[in-house]
Amino acid sequence: MKVFCEVLEQLYKKVLLGATPENDSHDYIFYLNPAVSDQDCSTATSSEQASPGIHGQHQPISVGLAPIAVAPACLKSNSQMSSSREVTLLQLTVIKVMTTRILSVKTDFHAKEKYRDIIKILLESVEVDSKLICMFQNSDKLLSHMAAQCLALLLYFQLREKITLSNSWIAFCQKNLSEYSESNKAMYCLWTLTAVIKEIFKDSCSHKAEILKQFLTHFNTIFEAFYNSLFSQHFENCQDTSKIVNILMCFLELLELLIASRIYLKLHFTSQRILFWKPTCVLEVITWPIQAFVKRKFIIFLKKCLLCKVGEDLCSRSVPAFMPPDHQVAVDMLALANAVLQAVNSGLLKTLSVHGKHSFFGGDEVQPGCEHIFGPDHVILRAASLIIMKSLEIKFQNCSSASEMKVDLQRFMSELLTFLKPHLQPSLQLHNPCKWLSRVFIEQDDDMLEAAKASLGIYLTLTRGCEATESLTQGKEMWTHHTHENGYNPHCIFLFFLGNIGFDSTVLLDFLISSETCFLEYFVRYLKLLQKDWDNFFTICNNFDAAESKYDMSTCDCVPSLVQDQSTNQTIPHRLTAPHSHIEVCACHSQASDAPSEPLRAATSKGNHPMCTPSLSSPRASQSLVDYDSSDDSEVESTDQCLANSKQTSLYQQGTKEIQDAAVTSRDEKEFSLEPPSRPLFAKESDTAFSFDCEVVPNDVISAVGVFYRTVKCFKELQGAICRLQKKNLFPYNPTALLKLLKYIEVISNKTMNTL
């Protein structure tokens, strides 16, 4: 046993260093063949339990024990290694590290070939994969977990080397996943399958889609059968609820990977679509009398599916910003959205555990001496709100009846606002229910902008439907009231968003040059709406000012305005007449209407440019944003073809201290314009793009316009910042179309200011 452990230790050291073993490959098989006890597998012989070698195979005469220069300090002495359990663990560790070395591109070629030869012999001559399957049943959790890890790597090795998967493993999965059972076998089976798919995603090889296709071919029908069996269970009838919870968590992760592989690798298996075919099964779990964290996981999972963000934290690359339309995906998303809305209509929101213990990394128990945290679970509030908004947007995109859309919107938004009302303190003010969105999503930028984009999409779709069936003037006031009453007026939502960031243009710039949110897409779509709906926007700004004056509070919850009138005490009128003269400008600047409404994601830029230093006291403006690498998908309209194609370029070559560590993804020049991105749009203009001087505007005008002035000033500063970055070739993509939109807003706002 002493010599056996010494050889195994020396082999372990060599593999850790990536060194090539000197002896023949068959000599090492004796030391790497794990023993299997009777409790693990009934086919194991007593001689296999007695010694870690192969029964009937003689020990090699001599294996070189050349000293290794670097010895890991974690290795135990021979006396500590005497137990068979420790020997088995070391054997599994060597197999795991050796397989990892084979899959790594950094391993020396000769060493990799030697490791590959050893692993192939283990798989073919001693069927090590069958022995690892037997270890799943071991009562020792560490042994069973190590066996699952080794098996996952060996399975992926077989897929990479195009070796046929063992029949024992396929039979094991078919037996334990054909129907739900509370045994640990099903859980380890799910865990191993998930680990294999993760390895496929992590691999940098170009043919990972073919590898996954080969793998799913064996288990496609098994996943579907287990899906039906698992979600048909009655939770209250389960004897051991902890086991079904563990299996639910394992299967949910596997299901997310299957859906992600459809998006990233363009595969089409029934197991990848089972959620969309039978979504009620997953939705019913939320109604089970199960722990709150399980419901939370399932709600977040549904949110990821509706936003096409499944697997974003598991995949090394993001979803392509522009993809050709996939009819099957569109059909599946509509089915999921309809199922969500049907569940909400049946009382799904009433089953959510919004109150209760908060779950943290350390659990949900508060230690003695620590402060109890009260209040609702905002994660559930945000996720539930977003899945309803996104489901409505998807449904309306496939609905042609404006009256039906109005009825659905009023019903579901009423349900949502009723659900949120008890949890928002202080309560939403009666004069503007649109504030709900900024209140619910204030702590999560990416979700806030996804919800705002969905709300804007709902508004645009419903507006087009109403314009097609009604005259433009018929019931306009009633239509405006409808948007406010149901909390989806796009101007209110945008103004509340600006208020949350203190009307700080540097925060908007940070959003525009980062890829953490869908702000670029949302912002351009809103600017296109703004140029067509300027009168309504101006009226709403006046209503905001009137509300601030009436209630002696800031409707936008923002920091004080950049320019405040402290010398006068004028009464802000309830509503000013919106000037209509801006329409005259449309003909002169019609080219701005060709600007895209659906930009693709901006790229990541992590840095501290002097321009990005907040000029306001907004607490959010002083913080750099986190790269979620999300919010990729967008609805593509026919008028937005100039943004369709994009490519990525790095800004590391700039070597500038103005934007440090800038690793941004630049769009193709055609994304915003046919002009090269290095060419400034307004070569003869100053950095301050807006023509009127905000610093010398009379105080009475400032008091009169209020929110309108702060918004316009924010746009002005943003346009100037983009122009300065563009002149220095530091903006991560070509902002020509965005600048056209801002320039157009400038012209309209100047006309409005001149009439005040």
CSV table of all heavy atoms in Angstrom, one decimal, residues 8 52 91 100 125 133 149 164 214 218 224 273 293 312 347 393 454 469 513 548 554 582 604 669 672 675:
chain,number,residue,atom,x,y,z
A,8,LEU,N,1.0,6.9,-6.8
A,8,LEU,CA,-0.1,7.7,-7.1
A,8,LEU,C,0.2,9.2,-6.8
A,8,LEU,O,-0.3,10.1,-7.6
A,8,LEU,CB,-1.3,7.2,-6.3
A,8,LEU,CG,-2.7,7.6,-6.7
A,8,LEU,CD1,-3.0,7.2,-8.2
A,8,LEU,CD2,-3.8,7.0,-5.8
A,52,PRO,N,-6.9,-1.4,-4.2
A,52,PRO,CA,-7.3,-0.5,-5.2
A,52,PRO,C,-7.0,-0.9,-6.6
A,52,PRO,O,-7.2,-0.2,-7.6
A,52,PRO,CB,-6.6,0.8,-4.8
A,52,PRO,CG,-5.4,0.3,-4.1
A,52,PRO,CD,-5.8,-0.9,-3.4
A,91,GLN,N,-7.4,9.0,-6.5
A,91,GLN,CA,-7.5,8.5,-7.9
A,91,GLN,C,-8.5,9.3,-8.7
A,91,GLN,O,-8.2,9.6,-9.9
A,91,GLN,CB,-8.1,7.0,-7.8
A,91,GLN,CG,-7.0,6.0,-7.3
A,91,GLN,CD,-7.6,4.6,-7.1
A,91,GLN,OE1,-8.7,4.5,-6.6
A,91,GLN,NE2,-6.9,3.6,-7.5
A,100,THR,N,-9.0,17.3,-17.4
A,100,THR,CA,-9.0,18.8,-17.6
A,100,THR,C,-7.8,19.2,-18.4
A,100,THR,O,-7.8,20.1,-19.3
A,100,THR,CB,-9.0,19.5,-16.2
A,100,THR,OG1,-10.1,19.0,-15.5
A,100,THR,CG2,-9.1,21.0,-16.4
A,125,SER,N,-10.7,-0.5,-21.3
A,125,SER,CA,-10.3,-1.7,-20.7
A,125,SER,C,-11.0,-2.0,-19.4
A,125,SER,O,-11.3,-3.1,-19.0
A,125,SER,CB,-8.8,-1.8,-20.6
A,125,SER,OG,-8.3,-0.8,-19.7
A,133,ILE,N,-20.5,5.5,-12.1
A,133,ILE,CA,-21.9,5.5,-12.0
A,133,ILE,C,-22.3,4.7,-10.7
A,133,ILE,O,-23.2,5.2,-10.0
A,133,ILE,CB,-22.6,4.8,-13.2
A,133,ILE,CG1,-22.3,5.7,-14.4
A,133,ILE,CG2,-24.1,4.6,-13.0
A,133,ILE,CD1,-22.8,5.1,-15.7
A,149,GLN,N,-18.4,14.5,-10.8
A,149,GLN,CA,-17.5,15.5,-11.5
A,149,GLN,C,-16.6,14.7,-12.5
A,149,GLN,O,-16.5,15.2,-13.7
A,149,GLN,CB,-16.6,16.2,-10.5
A,149,GLN,CG,-17.4,17.3,-9.7
A,149,GLN,CD,-16.4,18.1,-8.8
A,149,GLN,OE1,-15.5,17.5,-8.3
A,149,GLN,NE2,-16.6,19.4,-8.7
A,164,THR,N,-18.0,6.8,-28.8
A,164,THR,CA,-19.4,6.4,-28.4
A,164,THR,C,-19.6,6.4,-26.9
A,164,THR,O,-18.8,5.8,-26.2
A,164,THR,CB,-19.8,5.1,-29.0
A,164,THR,OG1,-19.5,5.1,-30.5
A,164,THR,CG2,-21.3,4.8,-28.8
A,214,GLN,N,-24.8,15.9,-30.8
A,214,GLN,CA,-24.5,14.5,-30.5
A,214,GLN,C,-25.0,14.1,-29.2
A,214,GLN,O,-25.5,12.9,-29.0
A,214,GLN,CB,-23.0,14.3,-30.7
A,214,GLN,CG,-22.6,12.9,-30.5
A,214,GLN,CD,-21.0,12.7,-30.5
A,214,GLN,OE1,-20.3,13.7,-30.8
A,214,GLN,NE2,-20.5,11.6,-30.1
A,218,HIS,N,-29.1,11.5,-27.6
A,218,HIS,CA,-29.3,10.4,-26.7
A,218,HIS,C,-30.4,10.6,-25.6
A,218,HIS,O,-31.0,9.7,-25.1
A,218,HIS,CB,-28.0,10.0,-26.0
A,218,HIS,CG,-26.9,9.5,-27.0
A,218,HIS,ND1,-26.9,8.3,-27.6
A,218,HIS,CD2,-25.8,10.2,-27.4
A,218,HIS,CE1,-25.9,8.2,-28.3
A,218,HIS,NE2,-25.2,9.3,-28.3
A,224,GLU,N,-37.9,15.2,-21.9
A,224,GLU,CA,-39.3,15.5,-22.0
A,224,GLU,C,-40.2,14.6,-21.0
A,224,GLU,O,-41.1,15.1,-20.4
A,224,GLU,CB,-39.8,15.2,-23.4
A,224,GLU,CG,-41.2,15.6,-23.7
A,224,GLU,CD,-41.6,15.5,-25.2
A,224,GLU,OE1,-40.7,15.2,-26.0
A,224,GLU,OE2,-42.8,15.7,-25.5
A,273,ARG,N,-37.8,23.0,-26.3
A,273,ARG,CA,-39.0,23.7,-26.5
A,273,ARG,C,-40.1,23.3,-25.5
A,273,ARG,O,-41.2,23.8,-25.5
A,273,ARG,CB,-39.5,23.5,-27.9
A,273,ARG,CG,-38.5,24.0,-29.0
A,273,ARG,CD,-39.2,23.8,-30.4
A,273,ARG,NE,-40.3,24.7,-30.6
A,273,ARG,CZ,-41.1,24.7,-31.6
A,273,ARG,NH1,-40.9,23.8,-32.6
A,273,ARG,NH2,-42.1,25.5,-31.8
A,293,PHE,N,-37.9,30.8,-1.7
A,293,PHE,CA,-36.8,30.9,-2.6
A,293,PHE,C,-37.0,30.1,-3.8
A,293,PHE,O,-36.4,30.4,-4.9
A,293,PHE,CB,-35.5,30.5,-1.9
A,293,PHE,CG,-35.2,29.0,-1.8
A,293,PHE,CD1,-34.5,28.4,-2.8
A,293,PHE,CD2,-35.7,28.2,-0.8
A,293,PHE,CE1,-34.2,27.0,-2.7
A,293,PHE,CE2,-35.5,26.9,-0.7
A,293,PHE,CZ,-34.7,26.3,-1.7
A,312,GLU,N,-27.1,33.6,-19.7
A,312,GLU,CA,-26.2,34.7,-19.9
A,312,GLU,C,-25.0,34.7,-18.9
A,312,GLU,O,-23.9,35.2,-19.3
A,312,GLU,CB,-26.9,36.1,-19.8
A,312,GLU,CG,-27.5,36.4,-18.5
A,312,GLU,CD,-28.1,37.8,-18.4
A,312,GLU,OE1,-28.0,38.5,-19.4
A,312,GLU,OE2,-28.6,38.1,-17.3
A,347,GLY,N,-55.1,34.4,-10.9
A,347,GLY,CA,-54.7,34.7,-9.5
A,347,GLY,C,-53.3,34.4,-9.1
A,347,GLY,O,-53.0,34.2,-7.9
A,393,GLU,N,-46.3,43.0,-23.9
A,393,GLU,CA,-45.7,43.5,-25.1
A,393,GLU,C,-45.7,42.4,-26.2
A,393,GLU,O,-46.0,42.7,-27.4
A,393,GLU,CB,-44.3,43.9,-24.8
A,393,GLU,CG,-43.5,44.5,-26.0
A,393,GLU,CD,-42.1,44.7,-25.8
A,393,GLU,OE1,-41.5,44.1,-24.8
A,393,GLU,OE2,-41.5,45.5,-26.5
A,454,ALA,N,-40.4,47.8,-22.6
A,454,ALA,CA,-41.6,47.0,-22.8
A,454,ALA,C,-42.8,47.9,-22.7
A,454,ALA,O,-43.7,47.8,-23.6
A,454,ALA,CB,-41.7,45.9,-21.8
A,469,THR,N,-57.6,52.4,-36.7
A,469,THR,CA,-59.1,52.2,-36.6
A,469,THR,C,-59.8,53.4,-36.2
A,469,THR,O,-61.1,53.5,-36.4
A,469,THR,CB,-59.4,51.1,-35.6
A,469,THR,OG1,-58.8,51.5,-34.3
A,469,THR,CG2,-58.8,49.7,-36.0
A,513,ILE,N,-22.7,54.2,-23.3
A,513,ILE,CA,-21.5,53.6,-23.7
A,513,ILE,C,-21.3,52.2,-23.0
A,513,ILE,O,-20.2,51.6,-23.1
A,513,ILE,CB,-20.3,54.5,-23.4
A,513,ILE,CG1,-20.1,54.8,-21.9
A,513,ILE,CG2,-20.4,55.8,-24.2
A,513,ILE,CD1,-18.9,55.6,-21.5
A,548,GLU,N,-45.9,69.7,-8.7
A,548,GLU,CA,-44.9,70.0,-7.7
A,548,GLU,C,-45.3,71.3,-6.9
A,548,GLU,O,-45.1,71.4,-5.7
A,548,GLU,CB,-43.5,70.3,-8.4
A,548,GLU,CG,-42.9,69.0,-9.0
A,548,GLU,CD,-41.5,69.3,-9.6
A,548,GLU,OE1,-41.0,70.4,-9.3
A,548,GLU,OE2,-41.0,68.5,-10.4
A,554,SER,N,-41.4,67.4,-5.1
A,554,SER,CA,-40.8,67.1,-6.4
A,554,SER,C,-41.5,65.8,-7.0
A,554,SER,O,-41.4,64.8,-6.4
A,554,SER,CB,-39.3,66.9,-6.4
A,554,SER,OG,-38.8,66.5,-7.6
A,582,HIS,N,-43.6,73.9,-33.7
A,582,HIS,CA,-42.5,73.0,-34.0
A,582,HIS,C,-42.7,72.2,-35.2
A,582,HIS,O,-41.8,71.6,-35.8
A,582,HIS,CB,-42.2,72.1,-32.8
A,582,HIS,CG,-43.2,71.0,-32.7
A,582,HIS,ND1,-44.4,71.1,-32.2
A,582,HIS,CD2,-43.0,69.7,-33.1
A,582,HIS,CE1,-45.0,69.9,-32.2
A,582,HIS,NE2,-44.2,69.1,-32.8
A,604,THR,N,-19.4,47.8,-23.9
A,604,THR,CA,-18.9,48.0,-22.6
A,604,THR,C,-17.8,49.0,-22.5
A,604,THR,O,-16.9,48.9,-23.3
A,604,THR,CB,-18.4,46.7,-22.0
A,604,THR,OG1,-19.5,45.7,-22.1
A,604,THR,CG2,-18.1,46.8,-20.5
A,669,GLU,N,-19.9,50.7,-39.1
A,669,GLU,CA,-20.1,52.1,-39.5
A,669,GLU,C,-21.5,52.3,-40.0
A,669,GLU,O,-22.1,53.4,-39.9
A,669,GLU,CB,-19.1,52.5,-40.5
A,669,GLU,CG,-17.7,52.5,-40.0
A,669,GLU,CD,-16.7,52.9,-41.0
A,669,GLU,OE1,-17.1,53.1,-42.2
A,669,GLU,OE2,-15.5,52.9,-40.7
A,672,PHE,N,-25.1,53.4,-37.6
A,672,PHE,CA,-25.7,54.7,-37.5
A,672,PHE,C,-25.6,55.6,-38.7
A,672,PHE,O,-26.4,56.5,-38.9
A,672,PHE,CB,-25.1,55.5,-36.3
A,672,PHE,CG,-25.6,55.0,-35.0
A,672,PHE,CD1,-24.8,54.1,-34.2
A,672,PHE,CD2,-26.8,55.3,-34.5
A,672,PHE,CE1,-25.2,53.7,-33.0
A,672,PHE,CE2,-27.3,54.8,-33.3
A,672,PHE,CZ,-26.5,54.0,-32.5
A,675,GLU,N,-21.1,57.4,-42.9
A,675,GLU,CA,-19.9,58.2,-42.7
A,675,GLU,C,-19.0,57.4,-41.7
A,675,GLU,O,-19.4,56.7,-40.9
A,675,GLU,CB,-20.3,59.5,-42.0
A,675,GLU,CG,-21.2,60.4,-42.9
A,675,GLU,CD,-21.6,61.6,-42.2
A,675,GLU,OE1,-22.1,61.5,-41.1
A,675,GLU,OE2,-21.3,62.7,-42.7
